[in-house]
Amino acid sequence: MLLTFLDCIAKYKFTIISLMLLVLSVIIILNNAKVETRIETFLPGYKPGRPITEIDDPSVQNLVRMSLKFGDSARVSVIYESPVRLDKTGSLENLRRLHKKLENFENVQTVISILNYPGADLYIKDDALDLENLPKEYRSFISMDGRYALFLVMISINGQVEPVVRKITNALKNEPVVVLSEASVNNKLFDELKRSMFFYPILMFGVILAIFFYQTQSLRATIVSLFVPIMASIYTYALHFAFGGVLNILTSMIASFLIIIGSAYPLHYYNAIFRTEDNVRKHISTPIFFSMFTTAVGFLSFLFVKIPAFKEFGFLVSLGLLIDFLLTVTVGDELLLRAHRKAAKKPKSFGIKYIGNKPAMGILFVVIFLVGLSFFLIPSIKVGLTSTDYFSKKSEITKAYKLLEDNFGMKDAIYLVLEREEGIFLPFDNRNIDQIIAELSQRSEISSVDFPRNVPVTALILASRNQPLLRYYIADAKTIRILINLSPEGADNLEKVTKITNEVMKKYSYNYYLAGTPFIWKAVNDDILASQIQSLVAALIIVFVTILVVFKDFAESVKLISPVVFATILNFFYMAIFKMKLEISTALTSSIIIGLAIDYSIHVGHDYGKTKNIFSSIKNVGPAILGNAFGIVGGFLTLLIGGELAMFKRIAILVSLGISTAAVLTLTVLPFLLSLGRIKEVKESLNDEK
């Protein structure tokens, strides 16, 4: 019995060691896991746990500079829906109650509404508003139909603002209000990411389990194929957290990516056992290694971009794939050989065979036509990301912003900070401020401009010492800020708003700067476009060089990479057709498709190099390629189920289409290209054998 026990340990030594490491990894994760959802994580120079003041970006520096000057940490918008129009007698009673409730919340510095806005009391009578005569500058707080009121809640806190906003939001659940802020977006993102880290991997496990079981006809082999990438995911997270890493919007999905991608290696390994008489590891390890390597290259291409979140995502997925490969040839080898011995049936072939020259040529011509069409559609793809682009149309966040847009005509807000270089603001500055506001208000990109104007600026400065409300607008005798509410048109074209503001300010001698979260979004969007080009070019070059080194034939390497190139270009075609923007999520997909799709070419090329018979090669590796493609597509399509994060749904659609395109091209067009001039010869050889 002792010898049997020792023999069992020796036979499954890698599995035992990996399980011990798995327990250690789980302990590390539970003690060190952290998640960061702020938009600043996508800016060059961002470091987890470090203050954003260290980010060397003008948009961040201006926002920090303004926040320090005016002493505010965060702005929260609360939209109240009144059961009656606010011009009805007594209709302001609930507004007063809500205003007082907001003021009493912990960490609330001040609340600004129509009730305490300077000069608004002139338009209040019988606890109702005189909506007909209400000046335009007050329309920032009251909707045109008089049914909605806006409260600006200023929060002052030294630590994170998200917990405070979550507490306020929960306390207002029974009120007819909607709470909106950058912190609200971050809270919703955190909730969705926490959910997706558990929900999607479990769902993917089920879908891929069904697909792989159908192909392998072995429950043991299927479970091992999924167990290996799950272990790789846990090891990767543990290493990341052990070195002080923090998860962000992208890296939180590592487990999902590794389960979808990494399950392919054990699948190929298991299928290879049935066509290999001895030493399966030696036979299949090389193509699996180069599949892993080229896939990792697709993700490592993000190391060439400036955005830290992309770099972390690329590095961690690549690390996870390496771990997955090592587990496949060690733990996988031990468990899959056992699954093979216990298998009652062989894996399904799906009836895979080469379809022939004419169908392949027809598919090739269609693809070339669509690729040509893509170059005309690419310019129509918009570049950019806003806080609402994270979420689906049914999301609470999207609905809240739609409410703000429909009833107040605004989508976002920025600040124009005015500073006098010498002296202080004086009564004659009132005329200049009025003219600036009037000129800005005329533009369609600007919904409204908010600054108390019915009181001389010198009086405002004096009163701000005792009135917290006025400190929102007045920093000191030399610095004031004007709130510019952007229309949807202006929010989508921040460069034009900046240009308009610069033209208006040319006439005046003030020092000024623009600040606000929208400028941080713009900085991220600008980096995304550059990152997409850099990562795409880097991935294609490195993958091609790798293929060239492996197969040592330039012409054959060009043929092998062709399905990937076609699928990558058509990815932009699909973006244009579905009217998707080029943003954080869609910028990932091209490199992901390159990294995944090249695996298929490598397996076909490796087998064809041995058989020199494309019919046999497609029959040998086609089933595993198709099974893997079904697994990847099925796995990614689970991201369409439930949840409010639209960015994951966009990844699901594009990657699924890209992998489907690549798989079809690999099994049809690639064999045609590889065997040009040899098809007839091979067919005659097969007939002679018969």
Side-chain angles (χ1 to χ4, degrees):
M1 288 182 64
L2 180 61
L3 289 174
T4 303
F5 178 71
L6 293 174
D7 182 60
C8 185
I9 290 177
K11 187 180 291 186
Y12 298 103
K13 57 183 178 295
F14 291 117
T15 303
I16 294 169
I17 292 170
S18 67
L19 289 174
M20 293 171 64
L21 291 173
L22 190 66
V23 173
L24 177 62
S25 297
V26 170
I27 293 172
I28 292 172
I29 291 171
L30 292 175
N31 289 328
N32 299 279
K34 293 179 181 178
V35 180
E36 174 62 81
T37 58
R38 293 186 302 173
I39 184 60
E40 290 88 348
T41 60
F42 293 99
L43 284 173
Y46 173 81
K47 295 178 182 177
R50 304 296 292 274
I52 63 171
T53 51
E54 294 184 9
I55 300 176
D56 186 19
D57 184 275
S59 61
V60 176
Q61 296 298 327
N62 282 344
L63 184 62
V64 170
R65 177 182 171 190
M66 181 187 71
S67 297
L68 291 174
K69 191 75 175 178
F70 287 83
D72 49 27
S73 297
R75 188 187 88 155
V76 178
S77 298
V78 177
I79 304 173
Y80 167 78
E81 182 179 5
S82 175
V84 297
R85 277 174 57 95
L86 294 171
D87 57 355
K88 302 295 182 183
T89 301
S91 60
L92 297 185
E93 182 181 351
N94 282 333
L95 243 65
R96 296 187 191 281
R97 179 185 58 79
L98 182 58
H99 189 110
K100 188 174 182 180
K101 185 175 182 178
L102 291 170
E103 285 182 325
N104 290 333
F105 283 133
E106 189 180 359
N107 298 115
V108 170
Q109 185 180 33
T110 186
V111 178
I112 306 173
S113 72
I114 194 68
L115 298 175
N116 64 346
Y117 195 83
D121 55 322
L122 298 174
Y123 303 93
I124 296 175
K125 186 178 180 181
D126 297 328
D127 219 18
L129 283 171
D130 182 4
L131 292 177
E132 289 186 5
N133 298 309
L134 195 68
K136 186 178 180 180
E137 55 263 31
Y138 298 113
R139 286 295 176 181
S140 298
F141 299 96
I142 300 296
S143 64
M144 293 302 296
D145 64 1
R147 293 293 299 271
Y148 294 90
L150 179 66
F151 295 83
L152 295 182
V153 182
M154 305 310 299
I155 295 173
S156 181
I157 186 173
N158 293 326
Q160 286 189 326
V161 71
E162 282 78 11
V164 177
V165 173
R166 186 184 292 275
K167 190 175 179 181
I168 291 173
T169 304
N170 291 336
L172 294 174
K173 277 188 176 179
N174 295 325
E175 299 283 356
V177 300
V178 171
V179 180
L180 265 180
S181 70
E182 200 64 37
S184 302
V185 172
N186 289 339
N187 282 333
K188 190 63 178 178
L189 275 173
F190 180 81
D191 293 340
E192 286 294 310
L193 291 179
K194 188 169 63 175
R195 175 181 174 276
S196 64
M197 286 176 68
F198 299 98
F199 174 75
Y200 288 124
I202 293 171
L203 191 60
M204 288 171 181
F205 184 94
V207 171
I208 298 174
L209 179 73
I211 294 170
F212 280 16
F213 177 65
Y214 179 77
Q215 198 274 315
T216 62
Q217 297 292 289
S218 168
L219 184 60
R220 286 187 179 89
T222 302
I223 291 175
V224 171
S225 295
L226 287 162
F227 179 62
V228 166
I230 288 172
M231 282 200 301
S233 302
I234 294 172
Y235 292 164
T236 303
Y237 280 133
L239 287 170
H240 184 54
F241 291 135
F243 287 94
V246 177
L247 289 186
N248 57 51
I249 296 167
L250 296 182
T251 53
S252 64
M253 291 297 290
I254 288 172
S256 298
F257 276 88
L258 290 180
I259 289 172
I260 295 171
I261 302 167
S263 57
Y265 306 154
L267 178 69
H268 281 291
Y269 202 99
Y270 182 71
N271 277 270
I273 294 174
F274 286 88
R275 61 177 191 270
T276 307
E277 294 181 359
D278 58 350
N279 202 347
V280 64
R281 183 186 293 168
K282 182 178 179 181
H283 172 76
I284 196 64
S285 291
T286 299
I288 290 180
F289 171 77
F290 283 112
S291 293
M292 177 278 298
F293 180 75
T294 49
T295 302
V297 164
F299 287 97
L300 285 173
S301 64
F302 292 124
L303 295 179
F304 292 90
V305 306
K306 296 179 181 178
I307 303 174
F310 277 60
K311 290 183 179 182
E312 280 189 7
F313 176 76
F315 174 76
L316 290 174
V317 173
S318 300
L319 175 62
L321 291 174
L322 175 60
I323 295 172
D324 186 80
F325 167 75
L326 295 174
L327 290 173
T328 298
V329 298
T330 53
V331 176
D333 180 73
E334 293 174 349
L335 300 181
L336 290 172
L337 286 174
R338 177 179 173 80
H340 172 256
R341 290 192 297 270
K342 299 288 185 179
K345 298 179 182 179
K346 290 183 178 181
K348 284 186 176 291
S349 67
F350 296 120
I352 293 292
K353 63 180 182 179
Y354 177 50
I355 61 173
N357 283 13
K358 290 183 179 179
M361 289 176 65
I363 293 172
L364 180 60
F365 286 137
V366 170
V367 169
I368 290 173
F369 171 76
L370 293 178
V371 166
L373 185 61
S374 299
F375 288 104
F376 292 98
L377 294 176
I378 286 174
S380 67
I381 299 173
K382 293 182 178 179
V383 179
L385 178 76
T386 65
S387 53
T388 55
D389 288 329
Y390 276 131
F391 305 100
S392 61
K393 291 182 179 179
K394 295 180 180 179
S395 167
E396 295 175 5
I397 295 291
T398 305
K399 289 179 180 178
Y401 274 101
K402 189 72 167 57
L403 184 69
L404 184 67
E405 183 180 326
D406 291 344
N407 292 283
F408 294 88
M410 65 179 77
K411 190 173 182 179
D412 227 322
I414 59 174
Y415 298 92
L416 171 61
V417 181
L418 303 183
E419 297 176 324
R420 286 196 66 93
E421 189 171 357
E422 296 179 0
I424 62 173
F425 280 94
L426 297 170
F428 70 80
D429 288 300
N430 279 3
R431 186 179 61 180
N432 292 342
I433 294 170
D434 285 344
Q435 288 177 348
I436 291 170
I437 292 173
E439 290 185 54
L440 291 175
S441 300
Q442 291 174 0
R443 305 304 296 254
S444 60
E445 294 81 7
I446 296 172
S447 171
S448 59
V449 183
D450 176 21
F451 184 82
R453 296 161 60 191
N454 60 333
V455 179
V457 67
T458 48
L460 288 175
I461 292 170
L462 291 172
S464 67
R465 297 173 184 175
N466 301 314
Q467 296 186 31
L469 180 150
L470 294 177
R471 287 200 290 272
Y472 178 66
Y473 302 96
I474 310 292
D476 52 45
K478 300 176 65 173
T479 312
I480 65 172
R481 67 176 172 187
I482 298 170
L483 176 63
I484 300 175
N485 294 309
L486 302 175
S487 66
E489 182 185 351
D492 293 338
N493 199 342
L494 208 56
E495 283 187 1
K496 191 172 181 181
V497 173
T498 302
K499 186 178 179 182
I500 290 168
T501 306
N502 289 337
E503 288 176 358
V504 170
M505 295 305 299
K506 280 181 182 177
K507 308 170 189 175
Y508 308 99
S509 59
Y510 303 116
N511 291 332
Y512 71 95
Y513 61 90
L514 291 167
T517 304
F519 289 103
I520 296 179
W521 286 101
K522 182 181 180 302
V524 170
N525 293 333
D526 291 343
D527 286 325
I528 286 172
L529 180 59
S531 299
Q532 170 74 101
I533 297 170
Q534 291 169 355
S535 62
L536 190 57
V537 172
L540 285 173
I541 290 174
I542 298 173
V543 165
F544 179 74
V545 170
T546 304
I547 296 294
L548 186 59
V549 169
V550 173
F551 293 96
K552 300 179 177 62
D553 186 301
F554 185 84
E556 187 167 310
S557 297
V558 171
K559 294 174 184 177
L560 287 170
I561 202 173
S562 60
V564 175
V565 174
F566 287 141
T568 302
I569 296 172
L570 290 178
N571 182 50
F572 294 98
F573 172 79
Y574 299 138
M575 284 177 60
I577 292 298
F578 288 101
K579 296 181 179 179
M580 295 182 184
K581 294 180 180 180
L582 178 60
E583 36 80 14
I584 290 170
S585 61
T586 54
L588 292 172
T589 55
S590 294
S591 294
I592 292 172
I593 291 168
I594 291 170
L596 293 177
I598 197 63
D599 290 8
Y600 305 153
S601 295
I602 288 174
H603 283 287
V604 170
H606 183 265
D607 197 87
Y608 182 65
K610 290 184 174 183
T611 64
K612 297 301 179 185
N613 186 321
I614 200 62
F615 296 95
S616 297
S617 293
I618 294 301
K619 187 177 180 181
N620 288 341
V621 301
I625 288 175
L626 198 59
N628 173 239
F630 282 143
I632 289 175
V633 172
F636 272 106
L637 287 181
T638 59
L639 296 175
L640 297 177
I641 300 172
E644 297 183 14
L645 285 182
M647 60 184 300
F648 291 157
K649 299 181 190 300
R650 289 190 287 269
I651 290 176
I653 292 170
L654 292 177
V655 173
S656 297
L657 287 170
I659 292 303
S660 300
T661 301
V664 169
L665 294 177
T666 301
L667 297 174
T668 57
V669 173
L670 180 59
F672 167 69
L673 295 176
L674 284 174
S675 56
L676 278 175
R678 289 181 53 86
I679 290 288
K680 186 176 180 181
E681 178 186 332
V682 172
K683 280 186 175 179
E684 290 174 354
S685 175
L686 290 173
N687 290 332
D688 290 342
E689 290 178 6
K690 291 179 181 179

